[in-house]
């Protein structure tokens, strides 16, 4: 059920994002009186789950049906001189088709749902896109086609999808800020007891109990943003307070690469292990422990903090241990026979306080802008890391399994919309990359056209689109291949 819930959330989020993205192209095309032939969520080779279109004033629907035939007939012949196959296209005479044929009404858009949930498309007349409609491109340009419009109008149509994704992210963030505010763990709270370090953190020069003061001279208010801040800004120094004195930790040249490959938090907070409550059938309660007891030892191992306890208790699974705890001014010992899970049935008292920043709707509006801008900037920095071979960030690329794994096991609207906003930012950045077959590729060619006043030939655009599709397919296979490999590690 947990996996199913993740899948449902992933498909719901992707459906929303694709619909909004393609609507950006759709509405921009309509503004400039450019004909949109099809608007689909998911891809639909050969057949569609649902198709509907307004034909001569009447809506028509088709479920699990073959797609509408093309508006042209393909002819093949072998050139007797070159002995090569040649393909020509003949436009279908609309006047010869039955009145109820969907193709007879060219003014209206066919909407639908495909069966391959990998995206969606908005098929604009006279545009070389993923449909590779070469038959249409071999006909004479018509006034309502994309290719007949001025370059500046085509540019706006192409960036419409990206703009809508950014707008969607902004509205989601603004709504969440207004409804929920922002909650985070202040670094100052963590500094009450210092940090807890893993092996990588120790290798980089940090120690348990260090108090993080600055990163490259800047104070990071949100503790959980420290690691990402170091990675994205290629930080060189960490200033800490250690044993009452300030110390500068110099990060090595390979520190960023190690942090990226680490794929988990290298520092966390630590707190004393004070019992707040007991679970049902608690072994600790049966042994005589009470609320407020502070556990400090497992046998002869000193564990003054909860993180020390959880790290060391595992080695005694299934064995009897002596736990030492402080109660008031007394130090007491308790004998406990551990289970194979090494659980003693207690809940630790939360000693660190999260900070919540509430916003009114009017306060959330400007804050939504800054948050959207920050997310766009942060993801752009992440993308640059992927193309930097020295960081080996490309090894962390993931596909649908990685994306799906970020959704929670149980549906939560707040978390769902937060992740949908993040994915909308990612989709916007990815689509604006100057890769043929992506919006950014079309934008690049349009900018060149505007500057040089020379329009690329349709043949060039066909080749570029094919190359772009191959690049995207390779990236798709690589990212999802990484996911599969990780499943077996």
């Amino acid at each position: 059920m947990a996996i199913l819930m993740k899948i449902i959330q992933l498909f719901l989020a992707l459906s929303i994002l694709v619909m909004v993205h393609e609507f950006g192209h759709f509405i921009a095309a309509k503004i400039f009186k450019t004909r949109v032939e099809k608007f689909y969520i998911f891809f639909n080779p050969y057949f569609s789950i649902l198709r509907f279109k307004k034909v001569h004033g009447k809506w028509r629907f088709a479920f699990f049906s073959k797609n509408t035939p093309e508006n042209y007939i393909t002819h093949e012949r072998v050139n007797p001189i070159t002995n090569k196959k040649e393909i020509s296209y003949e436009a279908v005479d609309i006047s010869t088709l039955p009145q109820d044929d969907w193709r007879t009404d060219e003014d209206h858009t066919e909407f639908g749902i495909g069966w391959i949930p990998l995206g969606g498309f908005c098929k604009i007349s006279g545009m070389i896109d993923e449909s590779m409609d070469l038959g249409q491109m071999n006909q004479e340009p018509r006034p309502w086609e994309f290719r007949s419009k001025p370059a500046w109008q085509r540019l706006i149509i192409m960036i419409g999808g990206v703009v809508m994704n950014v707008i969607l992210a902004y509205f989601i963030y603004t709504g969440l800020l207004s409804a929920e505010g922002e909650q985070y763990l202040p670094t100052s709270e963590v500094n009450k007891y210092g940090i807890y370090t893993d092996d990588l953190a120790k290798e980089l020069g940090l120690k348990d109990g260090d108090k993080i003061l600055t990163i490259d001279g800047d104070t990071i208010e949100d503790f959980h943003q420290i690691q990402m801040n170091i990675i994205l800004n290629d930080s060189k120094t960490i200033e800490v307070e250690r044993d009452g004195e300030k110390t500068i930790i110099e990060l090595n040249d390979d520190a960023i690469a190690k942090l990226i490959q680490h794929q988990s938090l290298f520092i966390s907070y630590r707190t004393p292990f004070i019992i707040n409550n007991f679970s049902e059938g608690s072994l600790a309660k049966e042994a005589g422990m009470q609320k407020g007891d502070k556990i400090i030892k497992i046998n002869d191992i000193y564990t003054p903090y909860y993180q020390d306890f959880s790290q060391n208790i595992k080695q005694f699974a299934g064995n009897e241990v002596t736990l030492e705890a402080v109660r008031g001014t007394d130090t007491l010992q308790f004998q406990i026979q551990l289970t194979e899970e090494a659980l003693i049935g207690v809940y630790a008292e939360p000693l660190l306080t999260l900070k919540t920043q509430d916003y009114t709707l009017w306060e959330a509006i400007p804050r939504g802008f800054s948050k959207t801008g920050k997310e766009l900037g942060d993801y752009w920095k992440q993308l640059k890391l992927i193309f930097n071979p020295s960081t080996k960030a490309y090894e962390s690329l993931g596909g649908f399994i990685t994306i799906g794994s970020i959704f929670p096991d149980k549906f939560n609207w707040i978390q769902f919309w937060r992740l949908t906003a993040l994915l909308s930012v990612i989709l916007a950045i990815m689509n604006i990359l100057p890769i043929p077959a992506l919006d950014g590729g079309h934008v690049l060619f349009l900018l060149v056209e505007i500057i040089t006043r020379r329009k690329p030939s349709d043949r060039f655009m066909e080749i570029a689109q094919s190359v772009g599709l191959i690049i995207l397919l390779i990236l798709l296979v690589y990212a999802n291949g990484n996911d599969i490999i990780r499943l077996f590690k």
Side-chain angles (χ1 to χ4, degrees):
M1 284 301 296
I3 295 176
L4 178 61
M5 184 55 65
K6 288 177 179 286
I7 293 173
I8 291 173
Q9 291 178 88
L10 173 62
F11 280 113
L12 179 58
L14 289 179
S15 298
I16 293 171
L17 295 178
V18 168
M19 184 167 59
V20 169
H21 179 91
E22 298 302 335
F23 180 74
H25 295 307
F26 177 87
I27 195 66
K30 287 295 187 181
I31 288 172
F32 297 117
K33 302 185 185 306
T34 306
R35 185 171 291 170
V36 181
E37 298 177 13
K38 296 181 180 181
F39 185 99
Y40 268 74
I41 298 174
F42 305 149
F43 294 112
N44 67 328
Y46 307 114
F47 76 94
S48 304
I49 294 176
L50 169 65
R51 299 189 297 119
F52 57 99
K53 179 181 179 180
K54 195 172 186 179
V55 182
H56 305 302
K58 183 179 179 181
W59 283 101
R60 297 185 180 275
F61 296 82
F63 294 89
F64 296 98
S65 65
K66 291 183 179 179
N67 297 328
T68 302
E70 300 293 348
N71 289 356
Y72 55 86
I73 301 171
T74 304
H75 299 286
E76 294 185 5
R77 63 183 287 269
V78 177
N79 189 309
I81 299 176
T82 62
N83 203 33
K84 292 183 179 180
K85 183 188 292 185
E86 295 179 345
I87 298 177
S88 61
Y89 302 90
E90 176 188 356
V92 172
D93 186 353
I94 301 297
S95 63
T96 64
L97 298 175
Q99 189 67 13
D100 62 350
D101 192 302
W102 290 20
R103 290 173 291 175
T104 59
D105 191 331
E106 295 185 291
D107 293 332
H108 291 98
T109 302
E110 177 184 319
F111 299 92
I113 301 175
W115 56 276
I116 300 181
L118 297 178
F121 64 93
C122 176
K123 189 176 186 300
I124 300 174
S125 293
M127 175 182 168
I128 298 176
D129 56 13
E130 61 271 8
S131 67
M132 296 301 289
D133 191 349
L134 303 182
Q136 183 184 81
M137 300 306 296
N138 276 270
Q139 311 304 316
E140 287 297 318
R142 291 176 288 184
W144 59 79
E145 290 187 343
F146 176 83
R147 54 182 167 167
S148 300
K149 301 298 179 179
W152 68 271
Q153 292 185 6
R154 284 181 278 135
L155 179 63
I156 292 175
I157 292 172
M158 288 315 307
I159 65 175
V162 169
V163 170
M164 283 301 296
N165 280 128
V166 174
I167 291 174
L168 174 64
Y170 166 73
F171 275 107
I172 293 176
Y173 283 134
T174 300
L176 290 175
L177 288 167
S178 176
E180 297 292 319
E182 287 183 295
Q183 190 176 70
Y184 61 94
L185 178 61
T187 303
S188 58
E189 275 292 299
V190 176
N191 285 345
K192 287 181 180 179
Y193 306 105
I195 61 172
Y196 186 77
T197 59
D198 69 2
D199 291 339
L200 176 58
K202 291 182 175 66
E203 180 184 336
L204 296 178
L206 295 168
K207 292 183 178 181
D208 290 343
D210 282 350
K211 299 177 181 180
I212 305 293
L213 301 178
T214 63
I215 306 296
D216 277 352
D218 296 324
T219 300
I220 310 299
E221 187 174 0
D222 184 350
F223 176 75
H224 290 124
Q225 291 296 314
I226 289 177
Q227 182 162 334
M228 186 59 70
N229 186 280
I230 293 173
I231 292 173
L232 296 183
N233 296 316
D234 192 16
S235 300
K236 303 300 182 183
T237 62
I238 303 175
E239 183 184 17
V240 302
E241 181 184 321
R242 179 180 298 168
D243 300 327
E245 296 183 359
K246 293 182 179 180
T247 301
I248 299 294
I249 307 297
E250 301 283 348
L251 296 176
N252 298 327
D253 293 337
D254 60 350
I256 304 303
K258 289 180 178 179
L259 284 170
I260 293 173
Q261 295 169 39
H262 195 51
Q263 296 188 352
S264 61
L265 294 176
F266 78 126
I267 58 173
S268 62
Y269 56 86
R270 66 178 190 175
T271 57
F273 191 0
I274 298 175
I275 298 175
N276 183 52
N277 211 338
F278 299 96
S279 63
E280 186 177 349
S282 168
L283 297 177
K285 188 174 183 179
E286 291 176 1
M289 303 189 84
Q290 299 178 6
K291 289 184 181 181
D293 286 354
K294 178 181 177 182
I295 301 175
I296 60 172
K297 266 190 180 182
I298 306 172
N299 293 339
D300 294 326
I301 302 175
Y302 186 51
T303 59
Y305 297 97
Y306 172 81
Q307 291 72 19
D308 299 319
F309 180 90
S310 61
Q311 182 69 26
N312 286 281
I313 194 67
K314 300 172 185 177
Q315 62 183 295
F316 300 107
N319 298 316
E320 185 178 68
V321 295
T322 300
L323 299 186
E324 191 170 295
V326 175
R327 180 184 299 169
T329 57
D330 299 324
T331 300
L332 308 175
Q333 291 186 337
F334 304 90
Q335 303 296 320
I336 295 180
Q337 176 63 47
L338 295 177
T339 64
E340 292 301 324
E341 292 79 24
L343 300 175
I344 63 173
V346 303
Y347 298 103
E349 184 174 333
L351 298 175
L352 301 182
T353 304
L354 297 176
K355 182 176 181 179
T356 300
Q357 177 66 55
D358 294 320
Y359 299 91
T360 64
L361 177 59
W362 295 112
E363 291 172 334
I365 290 173
R367 177 58 183 157
F369 276 113
S370 61
K371 186 169 180 62
T372 304
K374 181 180 184 304
E375 294 295 339
L376 286 166
D378 285 352
Y379 190 72
W380 180 252
K381 290 177 181 178
Q382 292 179 54
L383 204 58
K384 289 196 295 184
L385 287 173
I386 291 174
F387 291 99
N388 183 349
S390 65
T391 66
K392 297 185 179 180
Y394 56 84
E395 295 179 358
S396 64
L397 272 177
F400 291 108
I401 295 176
T402 296
I403 298 173
S405 66
I406 68 177
F407 286 93
D409 295 342
K410 295 181 180 179
F411 194 86
N412 179 289
W413 276 109
I414 299 299
Q415 189 67 1
F416 171 78
W417 284 116
R418 186 174 289 117
L419 292 173
T420 300
L422 175 61
L423 291 176
S424 193
V425 167
I426 293 173
L427 184 61
I429 294 293
M430 292 298 294
N431 261 283
I432 206 63
L433 291 178
I435 299 175
L438 291 177
D439 295 345
H442 289 278
V443 169
L444 175 64
F445 295 137
L446 283 168
L447 290 175
V448 171
E449 179 184 342
I450 291 172
I451 294 171
T452 64
R453 300 185 181 276
R454 294 184 60 185
K455 184 178 180 180
S457 68
D458 288 345
R459 180 57 180 163
F460 172 82
M461 294 300 295
E462 290 170 13
I463 295 174
Q465 187 76 11
S466 298
V467 171
L469 288 172
I470 292 172
I471 293 173
L472 293 181
L473 181 60
I474 292 172
L475 290 174
L476 188 66
V477 171
Y478 177 78
N480 286 280
N482 280 347
D483 280 348
I484 295 172
I485 292 172
R486 291 188 194 109
L487 290 176
F488 294 96
K489 280 188 176 181

